[in-house]
Amino acid sequence: EVELATTQMKGNVFFPSIVSYTAAAGHSLSSDDNPYKRTNAKFSLKCLPSGKFSVIPTVVEIDDCLVHNCGPNGKCEEVKAKTEDPDDFYRCQCDSGFEEIMKPSGQKF
């Protein structure tokens, strides 16, 4: 079992099987992956002759604030409880006198 990833494979796995995985929403093999179009979210593990799997990569949380700009009067903050919607992965902490709004694109500002 791989932490923060899922597979469609059910049951026992035998040599030389390959098991495909997808990182959970908001996660990837690279923290600078784009949460809207993840390019490093899929990976495979090979069942080796020893009965063990190939090296399991580390699945990490995407730094959503790299792709979101909360404007000059706010600061992007990660939201730990991920949903399937990348717009829920962050929030804007606004300076005093300002409030978070939603752009027509769905991104917060």
Side-chain angles (χ1 to χ4, degrees):
E1 192 167 310
V2 178
E3 193 172 339
L4 299 173
T6 59
T7 183
Q8 299 299 318
M9 178 69 92
K10 304 287 185 218
N12 295 327
V13 177
F14 301 96
F15 172 77
S17 296
I18 295 175
V19 181
S20 297
Y21 285 87
T22 301
H27 296 80
S28 177
L29 299 181
S30 174
S31 64
D32 62 354
D33 205 352
N34 184 321
Y36 295 96
K37 294 181 182 176
R38 298 183 299 165
T39 58
N40 294 306
K42 296 184 183 289
F43 59 95
S44 297
L45 299 178
K46 185 175 183 179
C47 182
L48 303 173
S50 66
K52 297 187 184 278
F53 279 102
S54 53
V55 176
I56 299 173
T58 302
V59 178
V60 296
E61 187 172 354
I62 294 173
D63 184 350
D64 301 288
C65 291
L66 291 176
V67 296
H68 294 109
N69 178 354
C70 289
N73 300 302
K75 179 182 177 209
C76 180
E77 292 182 344
E78 292 279 329
V79 172
K80 295 298 177 193
K82 305 291 187 185
T83 68
E84 293 297 320
D85 183 355
D87 287 327
D88 291 339
F89 297 171
Y90 73 102
R91 68 177 179 199
C92 294
Q93 184 63 42
C94 299
D95 296 339
S96 179
F98 294 89
E99 64 181 42
E100 179 181 274
I101 61 168
M102 189 77 72
K103 291 181 180 181
S105 66
Q107 291 194 23
K108 298 167 190 158
F109 190 76

